[in-house]
Amino acid sequence: MHNPADMPELLARFLAMQQPSWRNVKVSSYEVMTGGYSRLLAKAVVAHDDGEHILVLRGDPPVDKILIHTDRRQEWELIQVLNLHGIRTPSGRYFDETGEHLGTRALIIDFSASQSFLPYAQGGGSLEGLNERLADALASFHAIPIDALPEQIERPESWDAYLTNRIDEWRRTADAHVEDLPIMRYMAGWLDAHRPVPVPLTLMHGDFQGANLMLADDGHFEMLDWELASIGDPREDMGYFKAVAMIAPPDLLDDAGCEAFCARYRELSGFSELQVNPVVVAYFLILGVVGTVRRLLEGGADYARGTNMLMASVFTMNSVQFGQSIWLPTSEALGPILDSIAAAAAAAALAEGKSC
Amino acid sequence: MLTRPTTEQLLVGIAADLRNLVLAEVSSEPVKVLLGQIDQILRGLAERASHEIAWMHEEADTISAVTGTEVGWPASLHLEDVITWYGEVSRVLSTAIDAAFADGDTVRVAELKRLLDTRSANEMKIVGTLDLVGRG
């Protein structure tokens, strides 16, 4: 994939090996795609005697151009699980684990004929009801039993341990950077002081944003790009979506949309109103971005140290600064409300204890 | 030394030429995305070149006053020296923030947060309007 000119031949040879029943395999078109910052993407039209297929390749970039490190094997195995559970995401077809066939470790999935959500929205497409469809999409994969997920995805010991680790990630990120980051330290302190009501841990997409959503003809979302998936608090996906949507609209979880979104998600998940509500989503707007923030800062730090020369590493640091401009006022507004929710949850737990 | 046109003017001019002249001649989508990113970075650099040394000094004065810590001065006004000194000043602020949260001192936390609001406002002057070019 590093040399697009070689790819039609390499891909045709690889597919002929994977599908011995296909005769005269030819790649009639191979087009490098934009849309992802971290992996190489390409769309290929493949023809053989019995038909034609449109496929998407996702492969690792050259070592000196890797913005973030993720595991193609884990992504591949997760896609198999998602396909098995009927989650709306393109089917995984083939995997070149060693990179010996496609020039780099790469997986091949079906091309989705659905519309990319962001261009759809930017073109004036109707957003009516999509906040609830977003809840459907999230609830669908959040419901996959953890036992069914690939073994290499780390299982946190408990929700408390998970959250503590996630909050500490803000401090670790600040400590690891090339200069002191007091805003990160403030956010860690604030997140710790306003912990939400716990929920069971689930699969998290990890990069759940408009750019990774497609809109199918039936009005439901398809989800793409599972490379950052992990096990964690499902509300992080909600907060992350909102965080990115504030930079790249539309924000389906704005004041008007978030209440209905939460109601639909509660209906599907069985969570309580203390667990899932717009204020808690806003808490996770901050917490949920820490993984991405860490990776972006690592890229910027590498550039500062001279160990990578990717302009994208510098560019994406703008997102961190934009995020900071959102987190600070959000924390100020949310603090008192989160305190009241915590008090209500404690009172409810006490009342339940007494009634038992 | 010749100081005009200023660094800001030159960087804004380079960004405009890339956007208005070079971009039109480019057909590769990944290169168009890269040019879009470079455009935003150059405009941010223009803002930084104009103000960053002053902003770092102004912030340091306030941090010193609020934390009651003598933060001194950079070894020189060369940017590398100012950045090194600013890093030390930032550490003073980080330490004060950690202590305020550890003590549960909400008034102190709010006071320190105001310093962060100023820092963030300056950062956003550099970022300008964020456009995640190439996404989606």
Side-chain angles (χ1 to χ4, degrees):
Chain A
M1 289 187 75
H2 298 171
N3 299 309
D6 299 339
M7 283 307 294
E9 194 185 330
L10 290 177
L11 180 59
R13 207 182 303 152
F14 177 64
L15 292 174
M17 256 180 2
Q18 298 290 316
Q19 293 283 1
S21 64
W22 289 2
R23 303 269 166 82
N24 297 317
V25 180
K26 283 196 181 111
V27 174
S28 55
S29 153
Y30 184 88
E31 187 186 324
V32 173
M33 298 167 78
T34 58
Y37 288 162
S38 63
R39 304 268 78 83
L40 299 175
L41 281 177
K43 175 182 167 187
V45 179
V46 180
H48 55 89
D49 285 356
D50 297 324
E52 190 179 84
H53 307 270
I54 307 180
L55 300 169
V56 171
L57 291 82
R58 282 176 55 79
D60 289 338
V63 176
D64 63 340
K65 295 218 163 73
I66 289 180
L67 194 58
I68 54 174
H69 292 269
T70 56
D71 182 354
R72 293 289 69 66
R73 156 63 58 186
Q74 178 177 304
E75 184 181 358
W76 170 248
E77 288 185 6
L78 178 60
I79 288 172
Q80 313 293 303
V81 172
L82 297 168
N83 294 159
L84 199 66
H85 283 79
I87 306 303
R88 286 170 174 260
T89 193
S91 294
R93 294 297 175 193
Y94 313 102
F95 182 37
D96 180 6
E97 179 157 19
T98 59
E100 64 178 305
H101 304 289
L102 301 176
T104 188
R105 218 174 189 213
L107 50 91
I108 301 177
I109 58 176
D110 281 342
F111 175 75
S112 170
S114 299
Q115 296 184 74
S116 294
F117 172 58
L118 290 184
Y120 163 83
Q122 283 152 10
S126 168
L127 302 179
E128 196 180 338
L130 290 184
N131 50 341
E132 294 185 49
R133 296 295 74 77
L134 196 72
D136 294 347
L138 282 165
S140 69
F141 69 85
H142 286 165
I144 296 174
I146 286 183
D147 288 350
L149 299 173
E151 279 176 11
Q152 65 265 46
I153 301 186
E154 193 184 332
R155 268 74 171 164
E157 189 183 304
S158 66
W159 182 85
D160 272 325
Y162 174 79
L163 202 77
T164 298
N165 184 49
R166 213 65 176 135
I167 292 169
D168 280 345
E169 193 171 345
W170 287 83
R171 299 188 178 100
R172 290 194 300 273
T173 300
D175 291 344
H177 197 56
V178 282
E179 61 185 320
D180 204 85
L181 299 172
I183 296 180
M184 300 287 286
R185 301 206 74 86
Y186 172 85
M187 295 322 307
W190 182 86
L191 289 163
D192 215 1
H194 298 89
R195 290 179 176 230
V197 178
V199 296
L201 299 174
T202 69
L203 171 67
M204 278 183 2
H205 182 283
D207 191 15
F208 192 79
Q209 56 166 306
N212 285 330
L213 293 177
M214 310 284 283
L215 197 57
D217 287 344
D218 64 0
H220 281 270
F221 284 116
E222 282 178 21
M223 293 157 281
L224 307 174
D225 195 351
W226 298 87
E227 66 174 315
L228 296 174
S230 63
I231 293 170
D233 190 311
R235 296 168 296 185
E236 280 197 45
D237 279 333
M238 304 172 193
Y240 183 86
F241 179 89
K242 186 168 175 57
V244 179
M246 291 173 82
I247 301 174
D251 180 7
L252 298 177
L253 304 183
D254 61 7
D255 290 347
C258 198
E259 196 61 70
F261 163 85
C262 290
R264 176 67 178 157
Y265 188 86
R266 289 195 298 267
E267 181 189 335
L268 295 166
S269 65
F271 290 163
S272 74
E273 200 166 349
L274 290 175
Q275 291 172 312
V276 176
N277 58 65
V279 176
V280 169
V281 170
Y283 174 92
F284 283 97
L285 176 156
I286 300 171
L287 183 77
V289 297
V290 64
T292 303
V293 167
R294 176 177 53 75
R295 291 182 197 96
L296 297 182
L297 286 172
E298 281 170 356
D302 285 346
Y303 195 99
R305 293 185 188 105
T307 51
N308 92 30
M309 293 310 286
L310 298 174
M311 198 49 70
S313 294
V314 180
F315 174 71
T316 50
M317 288 182 84
N318 282 356
S319 302
V320 177
Q321 296 179 97
F322 182 84
Q324 292 183 157
S325 75
I326 301 292
W327 309 331
L328 288 168
T330 302
S331 70
E332 193 161 357
L334 291 188
I337 312 173
L338 285 163
D339 290 344
S340 353
I341 292 174
L350 192 65
E352 197 175 308
K354 277 182 185 165
S355 70
C356 291
Chain B
M1 63 185 273
L2 293 174
T3 58
R4 295 184 188 279
T6 63
T7 307
E8 179 184 22
Q9 284 176 302
L10 292 171
L11 290 170
V12 167
I14 293 168
D17 279 354
L18 285 176
R19 188 168 58 251
N20 300 328
L21 303 176
V22 177
L23 187 60
E25 301 296 321
V26 172
S27 56
S28 155
E29 284 303 319
V31 176
K32 283 184 187 175
V33 169
L34 179 62
L35 281 175
Q37 294 176 346
I38 290 172
D39 179 19
Q40 287 187 55
I41 291 168
L42 284 173
R43 283 183 281 151
L45 290 179
E47 194 72 16
R48 274 178 67 173
S50 294
H51 304 291
E52 68 182 337
I53 289 180
W55 283 342
M56 285 188 271
H57 278 85
E58 287 163 10
E59 231 194 283
D61 284 348
T62 328
I63 291 170
S64 174
V66 173
T67 62
T69 307
E70 178 52 56
V71 297
W73 296 94
S76 77
L77 285 181
H78 290 291
L79 191 55
E80 191 58 42
D81 286 335
V82 178
I83 286 172
T84 302
W85 166 73
Y86 179 69
E88 291 159 9
V89 177
S90 292
R91 250 187 310 283
V92 169
L93 178 54
S94 288
T95 305
I97 288 167
D98 286 348
F101 274 113
D103 295 344
D105 186 343
T106 52
V107 174
R108 183 71 169 151
V109 166
E111 196 176 22
L112 295 167
K113 181 183 164 292
R114 281 195 285 277
L115 303 178
L116 302 178
D117 290 337
T118 304
R119 174 176 292 217
S120 177
N122 285 341
E123 285 177 345
M124 285 311 291
K125 285 177 197 160
I126 294 166
V127 171
T129 305
L130 181 63
D131 173 11
L132 290 181
V133 55
R135 286 298 266 170

